[in-house]
Amino acid sequence: MLLIPLWASMLLGLLSGFLPAVGMEPAGGSSSASEHPPNSDSFPSSSGSNCSQLTLKLEFSSKVVEHEYIVAFTGYFSAKARSLYINSALRNAGDGALEWHIVPRENPASDFPSDFELVHIRQASPSSLLTLEDHPYIKRVTPQRKVFRSLKYIPSPEPAAPCNATRGKQKWQSWQSSRPFRRTSLSLGSGFWHATGRHSSRRLLRAIPRQVAQILQADVLWQMGHTGSGVKVAVFDTGLSEKHPHFKNVKERTNWTNEKTLDDGLGHGTFVAGVIASMRECQGFAPDSELHIFRVFTNNQVSYTSWFLDAFNYAILKKIDVLNLSIGGPDFMDHPFVDKVWELTANKVIMVSAIGNDGPLYGTLNNPADQMDVIGVGGIDFEDNIARFSSRGMTTWELPGGYGRVKPDIVTYGSGVRGSGMKEGCRSLSGTSVASPVVAGAVTLLARSLFAGNGDHIDVAVSYSPVLWPWAGYLAVSISVAKKAASWEGIAQGHVMVTVASPAENDSEVGAELTSTVKLPIKVKIVPTPPRSKRVLWDQYHNLRYPPGYFPRDNLRMKNDPLDWNGDHIHTNFRDMYQHLRSMGYFVEVLGAPITCFDASQYGTLLMVDSEEEYFPEEITKLRRDIDNGLSLIIFSDWYNTSVMRKVKFYDENTRQWWMPDTGGANIPALNDLISVWGMAFSDGLYEGEFTLADHDMYYASGCSIARFPEDGIVIAKNLKDQGLEVLKQETAVVEGVPILGLYQTPSDGGGRIALYGDSNCIDDSHRQKDCFWLLDALLQYTSYSMTPPSLSHSHSRVAPPTGTERPLPQRLEGNHLYRYSKVLEAHLGDPKPRPLPACPHLSWAKPQPVNETAPSNLWKHQKLLSVDLDKVALPNVRAYRPQVRPLSPGESGAWDIPGGIMPGHYNQEVGQTIPVFAFLGAMVVMSFFVVQLTKAKSKPKRRKPRIKRPTYLQQQTTTGKNPTV
């Protein structure tokens, strides 16, 4: 799995002139992640040098296949063994009337052992499925899914323009979806790629569609003889015609659908294969690579999860090197699919996948490109501007246990890229699904052609699961600054050596365990520990998101995007806020464990934003103690109203169930339990509106109000619309004096401060209309330095704090299922109770070892003279050991070979006895040579040297004492 960062770094290194970093700001233009109205379900033809002004849009959706289940096993078994295991498990169910049978799968993988089976169970009950999973060889039972892919060809609303012309903005229809449960791949209109009109004469030349392989200098490697020969490339798509003129090395075409054809009836698979390996016209990157075509979609654009699983297994059997997969979606909990992706990469398959089209918002990565061992590809245009719609951010599937990883891994061209037509000729397409095969082709080409300082200033700990399987288990590296480097600044680097030991197989001839060693480089920048007032701790542990549960959006106006799926992290939908705080000199850290697991004396402010999780009783007690000792607290809340929650439920056609949100935008009852000791509480009111605060324009988007606050606190109120009334009764009303902001200094000596605000949308990137970063700055000035902003303390909107006697405080929704997704709650006789408080993460810091080897440590000692007893030494036969001199072969080192056993600190006794003998004999030979030469010199007669007559001119000059002149 370490191959993926290696390939990504090689691509970025070799093509750095063409692949800008993800952090670059996008150029102008607009984008949308919306669906488009259908216009055509096939590829229009184009050939030669014609340039199409149309764009392909691929849409994916899925639904559960009734009565069909994927039974995943713990290993690979024959068809007979799999049948026996399922029969045994269902027989133990005790339901003799249960009707079931194994669905036959006729494909190239059926002749090999498999790790799953497709079973049709009529009227399956939960107990029968649980009985299946209880079998020791069955890992998981999940519903079979039917995948629909729609290839929609979107015409330009404007007349056709030349290929290098700049397109105007396009307007797309917004999509309506009760649950964005689909994988979309990822082509958009070329209008999103091109810049506006600035410097048009220069940009016009660069926007001309050219061969992308030549642009990325693939021809340099071609001239060196690297053309992808010997690399196996798999294209999972719509197939390929047998006699297409662009391909000369199609090794195998396989069909995984229920149609009796291997040909491409749509053209998308042909285009992708052409970008990778076309040999003429629109030339691909690696024309000599071995193409393995996997037809996984029918001409009706339908596929099934089981088709993909079988095809993936076959790719592992064929030892595929590179696999291109251009589908994606937000659901990273599609377990059979994701598990198989991990297994593929664990078997050294380099998987390349498009990152998604949900940018520019951060935290919008699509699966499987969001996986750590999949190369996620983003898009740029031919002016090296990152596409605005290209998804970006960090992975959210591992939160809060992990910190997440930056994605995409790489960006490349996806605008006006030319590829092979369905039958012949070329066509140009745009989109991130086009960028994915560009990277796959570059990796294919590179695959054959490229086949310590201050380390004691950091502490490194390694934690891992007890068992590491090729596609299971985890290995985590934790890094902390050593105590002695608290005031040091600089770069610390080194590496971690990881050795994984595997027990020997029963039929192994070696008979010993097998080991694999991996070297992980580490390089970090260290800054001096900031003062407490500048350190802000972000509570990530109490944020929940989709998947797996239905957690609604914080802004109820966003009906086309109903789920909260961006992770609520400082590197996803709160990235702008994070960058603002960094620019103001604050250091923001993330808490991924309970409140009981951090040292509050190190931080000035705990920041809780949009919290949906419950709290352990121990957390509530510790937070109260921490605030009494000087920690401050800022809470940005959101709406919570049980009547509105019932109103926004919907029927999910995938699971055939009603989905009811288990919390609102935030979990107000849990937050009220947390702050009740100070006489504070939020209400279940739901408000919306625009107002001005401290000369700043503000927008309150589906927020709540403050229901109770201490009488000596500062409370700000505004006139807002009653959005709850609008949602429930479609009536409009304005409520005057809604308390929305509160500031409070706790009474204890040296105690911290608390600030409450009823809406988080103004600091959330998802659907923010007007930011309130200025308000966050003011609140941090108050909590960190006890400086009350005059614009708030003397505001005309200041009102008396509410007492909370007007209406009851909000209660938890009766019958909610939050315990299913909660890290705090567990089911208990129908009334969820807190789980036992989990232990805080314990890290065992490794002892560092210097990587620079210096001289032996015993050099200060006096060296002993070596004595030789010639009577006890067997002199070697010099003639037998006479060295043979020969020229070095190419690549052979001319250095001396050190005999085994002669290493610093390890002295070989036999060699030690032999070395003095050679030294003695060598000295005798040298002395004999000098004696012979001296004797010859004394025995020779001396010859009289002839006198040289000096020139007359020089004699005169010497006599007169004058210098010669010229």
Side-chain angles (χ1 to χ4, degrees):
M1 290 187 286
L2 294 174
L3 289 174
I4 299 309
L6 178 62
W7 289 120
S9 63
M10 284 191 294
L11 282 169
L12 286 171
L14 290 179
L15 309 176
S16 59
F18 300 94
L19 301 179
V22 178
M24 292 178 58
E25 291 299 326
S30 60
S31 67
S32 172
S34 60
E35 294 182 357
H36 309 321
N39 193 15
S40 173
D41 59 0
S42 63
F43 254 47
S45 61
S46 62
S47 60
S49 60
N50 294 334
C51 182
S52 174
Q53 294 297 320
L54 303 179
T55 300
L56 180 69
K57 173 66 177 179
L58 284 79
E59 298 177 358
F60 283 79
S61 61
S62 67
K63 72 174 185 179
V64 173
V65 179
E66 192 174 8
H67 305 315
E68 289 190 2
Y69 298 88
I70 295 176
V71 180
F73 296 92
T74 58
Y76 284 80
F77 302 100
S78 64
K80 181 178 180 181
R82 300 195 303 268
S83 177
L84 289 175
Y85 295 154
I86 294 175
N87 185 61
S88 174
L90 293 179
R91 185 169 57 248
N92 294 333
D95 188 357
L98 188 65
E99 298 181 10
W100 66 274
H101 67 271
I102 294 177
V103 179
R105 310 196 310 271
E106 300 294 335
N107 55 54
S110 59
D111 297 331
F112 301 93
S114 178
D115 62 342
F116 80 97
E117 196 65 88
L118 185 60
V119 181
H120 184 279
I121 305 178
R122 187 170 183 81
Q123 296 179 349
S125 62
S127 60
S128 61
L129 298 181
L130 291 175
T131 304
L132 267 175
E133 292 185 341
D134 288 340
H135 193 279
Y137 290 126
I138 295 178
K139 180 170 61 176
R140 187 183 291 114
V141 179
T142 55
Q144 160 87 316
R145 292 191 176 276
K146 185 177 183 180
V147 181
F148 300 92
R149 181 171 76 170
S150 176
L151 297 175
K152 297 181 179 180
Y153 209 60
I154 310 303
S156 171
E158 303 172 358
C163 295
N164 59 353
T166 303
R167 299 282 298 278
K169 296 183 179 179
Q170 298 182 15
K171 298 182 179 179
W172 310 105
Q173 290 184 354
S174 61
W175 57 273
Q176 303 292 332
S177 173
S178 61
R179 181 185 178 201
F181 187 77
R182 60 177 179 275
R183 302 185 180 274
T184 59
S185 157
L186 295 154
S187 300
L188 290 175
S190 59
F192 291 117
W193 292 97
H194 296 297
T196 55
R198 197 171 44 170
H199 307 298
S200 59
S201 60
R202 179 180 175 186
R203 292 168 177 255
L204 199 61
L205 294 175
R206 300 190 63 191
I208 297 175
R210 296 171 287 176
Q211 299 289 356
V212 69
Q214 280 85 353
I215 294 175
L216 295 179
Q217 299 183 359
D219 51 340
V220 175
L221 291 178
W222 295 342
Q223 295 172 6
M224 298 170 59
H226 302 297
T227 56
S229 176
V231 181
K232 300 178 180 179
V233 187
V235 177
F236 277 56
D237 222 285
T238 57
L240 178 68
S241 300
E242 181 179 6
K243 297 181 180 180
H244 198 288
H246 287 184
F247 306 97
K248 65 178 180 179
N249 196 14
V250 179
K251 198 70 174 181
E252 185 179 26
R253 297 184 306 149
T254 52
N255 179 33
W256 305 89
T257 71
N258 53 13
E259 295 180 339
K260 304 301 181 180
T261 181
L262 294 167
D263 293 341
D264 184 2
L266 298 173
H268 188 262
T270 305
F271 182 90
V272 170
V275 173
I276 297 174
S278 174
M279 59 175 290
R280 58 169 56 95
E281 294 185 86
C282 36
Q283 193 163 2
F285 283 83
D288 289 333
S289 60
E290 294 183 8
L291 273 181
H292 293 254
I293 305 299
F294 289 72
R295 189 176 188 269
V296 291
F297 278 94
T298 67
N299 288 334
N300 292 328
Q301 306 170 44
V302 174
S303 185
Y304 289 86
T305 300
S306 59
W307 293 358
F308 272 99
L309 299 183
D310 273 330
F312 283 151
N313 282 341
Y314 193 70
I316 295 174
L317 290 171
K318 302 298 290 187
K319 299 186 182 300
I320 294 297
D321 298 312
V322 182
L323 190 152
N324 184 82
L325 190 63
S326 295
I327 67 173
D331 194 345
F332 50 73
M333 297 190 69
D334 187 2
H335 290 294
F337 185 89
V338 175
D339 286 354
K340 191 57 64 174
V341 167
W342 289 358
E343 186 179 350
L344 275 165
T345 55
N347 282 274
K348 301 180 180 180
V349 178
I350 302 175
M351 178 174 284
V352 183
S353 183
I355 200 65
N357 281 345
D358 296 300
L361 178 64
Y362 281 73
T364 52
L365 307 178
N366 279 218
N367 181 269
D370 65 343
Q371 298 302 298
M372 57 187 176
D373 41 6
V374 176
I375 300 180
V377 184
I380 62 174
D381 61 14
F382 280 107
E383 296 177 0
D384 296 346
N385 298 314
I386 295 183
R388 179 176 173 82
F389 58 79
S390 184
S391 293
R392 63 201 73 183
M394 53 160 279
T395 57
T396 60
W397 54 268
E398 51 199 332
L399 298 177
Y403 197 80
R405 295 165 174 80
V406 177
K407 288 274 188 171
D409 302 291
I410 195 169
V411 293
T412 190
Y413 300 118
S415 174
V417 174
R418 301 186 73 219
S420 301
M422 186 166 62
K423 297 298 182 181
E424 59 182 6
C426 303
R427 60 168 54 92
S428 297
L429 291 178
S430 300
T432 53
S433 64
V434 174
S436 181
V438 170
V439 171
V443 168
T444 302
L445 189 60
L446 291 170
R448 189 57 59 192
S449 60
L450 299 175
F451 213 23
N454 298 314
D456 58 341
H457 285 62
I458 58 175
D459 292 329
V460 178
V462 179
S463 55
Y464 49 88
S465 55
V467 177
L468 294 176
W469 201 243
W471 57 89
Y474 69 90
L475 173 67
V477 178
S478 302
I479 304 175
S480 178
V481 178
K483 291 183 179 180
K484 68 177 183 178
S487 58
W488 182 79
E489 183 173 4
I491 301 296
Q493 58 186 348
H495 63 262
V496 175
M497 298 291 293
V498 180
T499 301
V500 181
S502 303
E505 299 180 1
N506 296 331
D507 56 349
S508 174
E509 298 179 358
V510 179
E513 66 177 11
L514 305 177
T515 59
S516 300
T517 302
V518 177
K519 186 176 181 179
L520 305 174
I522 293 177
K523 183 176 181 180
V524 296
K525 180 181 179 181
I526 297 177
V527 297
T529 303
R532 181 184 185 185
S533 59
K534 286 292 186 181
R535 300 182 70 179
V536 178
L537 189 62
W538 173 275
D539 180 18
Q540 182 68 36
Y541 187 79
H542 296 93
N543 287 337
L544 300 176
R545 83 287 191 202
Y546 169 87
Y550 174 22
F551 297 98
R553 273 289 186 198
D554 306 324
N555 188 347
L556 291 177
R557 290 289 180 194
M558 301 296 109
K559 299 180 181 180
N560 62 338
D561 196 6
L563 300 178
D564 189 355
W565 65 282
N566 298 127
D568 289 342
H569 194 278
I570 60 173
H571 297 321
T572 59
N573 50 309
F574 288 93
R575 176 178 176 273
D576 288 352
M577 179 215 69
Y578 167 75
Q579 290 189 326
H580 174 81
L581 292 181
R582 290 292 294 118
S583 68
M584 299 300 293
Y586 292 99
F587 294 82
V588 186
E589 301 170 49
V590 176
L591 177 64
I595 295 176
T596 55
C597 296
F598 79 96
D599 182 4
S601 65
Q602 300 296 319
Y603 301 92
T605 302
L606 175 64
L607 184 56
M608 293 183 173
V609 180
D610 188 19
S611 301
E612 295 93 355
E613 180 63 280
E614 295 283 338
Y615 296 89
F616 291 102
E618 296 87 346
E619 290 184 292
I620 298 176
T621 302
K622 173 159 186 303
L623 183 61
R624 293 171 180 173
R625 184 171 62 249
D626 290 341
I627 292 181
D628 288 340
N629 292 328
L631 178 71
S632 293
L633 174 66
I634 296 178
I635 297 179
F636 280 79
S637 183
D638 273 299
W639 68 273
Y640 184 96
N641 185 288
T642 56
S643 299
V644 174
M645 290 161 60
R646 293 187 181 95
K647 184 72 173 181
V648 297
K649 69 178 180 178
F650 67 88
Y651 184 75
D652 180 26
E653 295 182 355
N654 291 323
T655 60
R656 298 173 184 259
Q657 294 179 349
W658 281 99
W659 278 50
M660 177 80 71
D662 297 303
T663 69
N667 192 339
I668 295 299
L671 286 173
N672 287 346
D673 291 344
L674 189 69
I675 59 179
S676 61
V677 67
W678 296 287
M680 302 178 184
F682 289 104
S683 76
D684 61 355
L686 204 165
Y687 302 98
E688 177 196 28
E690 296 182 347
F691 57 89
T692 301
L693 180 61
D695 296 328
H696 293 273
D697 292 333
M698 301 282 287
Y699 176 67
Y700 210 68
S702 303
C704 67
S705 64
I706 298 176
R708 181 185 300 166
F709 208 73
E711 61 181 5
D712 54 345
I714 300 174
V715 174
I716 303 296
K718 290 293 179 179
N719 299 337
L720 298 172
K721 298 177 183 178
D722 189 341
Q723 192 178 17
L725 183 65
E726 180 182 355
V727 173
L728 296 175
K729 298 182 179 180
Q730 290 76 47
E731 298 178 2
T732 303
V734 176
V735 181
E736 297 184 354
V738 178
I740 59 174
L741 175 64
L743 307 178
Y744 178 67
Q745 168 69 61
T746 58
S748 59
D749 185 20
R753 288 153 292 280
I754 302 176
L756 305 182
Y757 189 67
D759 179 30
S760 71
N761 284 278
C762 59
I763 59 173
D764 187 343
D765 302 346
S766 298
H767 303 290
R768 183 178 65 240
Q769 297 186 25
K770 297 178 181 179
D771 73 74
C772 62
F773 297 150
W774 70 270
L775 176 61
L776 180 58
D777 293 340
L779 297 183
L780 284 173
Q781 286 287 323
Y782 174 71
T783 58
S784 299
Y785 303 101
S786 189
M787 297 174 57
T788 305
S791 59
L792 298 180
S793 59
H794 299 88
S795 173
H796 298 293
S797 302
R798 182 172 176 177
V799 298
T803 60
T805 58
E806 295 82 2
R807 56 191 298 182
L809 297 179
Q811 301 296 316
R812 292 170 176 84
L813 180 65
E814 184 177 355
N816 74 81
H817 299 98
L818 182 62
Y819 65 89
R820 295 178 178 176
Y821 323 110
S822 171
K823 301 180 289 295
V824 177
L825 299 178
E826 64 179 356
H828 183 76
L829 299 177
D831 185 16
K833 299 292 183 182
R835 304 172 188 265
L837 181 69
C840 296
H842 175 72
L843 300 177
S844 179
W845 302 108
K847 183 179 180 181
Q849 298 180 359
V851 296
N852 295 327
E853 293 186 1
T854 58
S857 59
N858 62 348
L859 283 182
W860 61 272
K861 298 180 179 179
H862 295 290
Q863 301 299 312
K864 296 181 179 180
L865 296 175
L866 296 176
S867 61
V868 180
D869 189 349
L870 296 179
D871 296 333
K872 295 182 180 181
V873 177
L875 297 180
N877 186 343
V878 179
R879 181 180 299 272
Y881 289 90
R882 182 176 181 181
Q884 301 294 322
V885 180
R886 62 176 178 82
L888 294 176
S889 60
E892 185 178 358
S893 173
W896 289 93
D897 291 332
I898 301 178
I902 305 180
M903 296 297 293
H906 300 278
Y907 191 74
N908 190 302
Q909 186 175 1
E910 296 181 359
V911 178
Q913 295 175 351
T914 308
I915 290 177
V917 177
F918 284 114
F920 176 78
L921 293 178
M924 293 300 295
V925 170
V926 172
M927 291 179 63
S928 300
F929 175 80
F930 282 109
V931 170
V932 171
Q933 295 297 323
L934 183 61
T935 303
K936 289 182 179 180
K938 290 183 178 181
S939 62
K940 290 182 179 180
K942 295 184 178 179
R943 296 178 60 185
R944 185 174 181 178
K945 297 182 178 180
R947 184 178 180 181
I948 303 176
K949 189 176 181 179
R950 300 177 67 184
T952 304
Y953 176 78
L954 290 179
Q955 288 179 355
Q956 293 176 353
Q957 294 293 334
T958 304
T959 302
T960 60
K962 297 180 179 179
N963 293 329
T965 59
V966 177

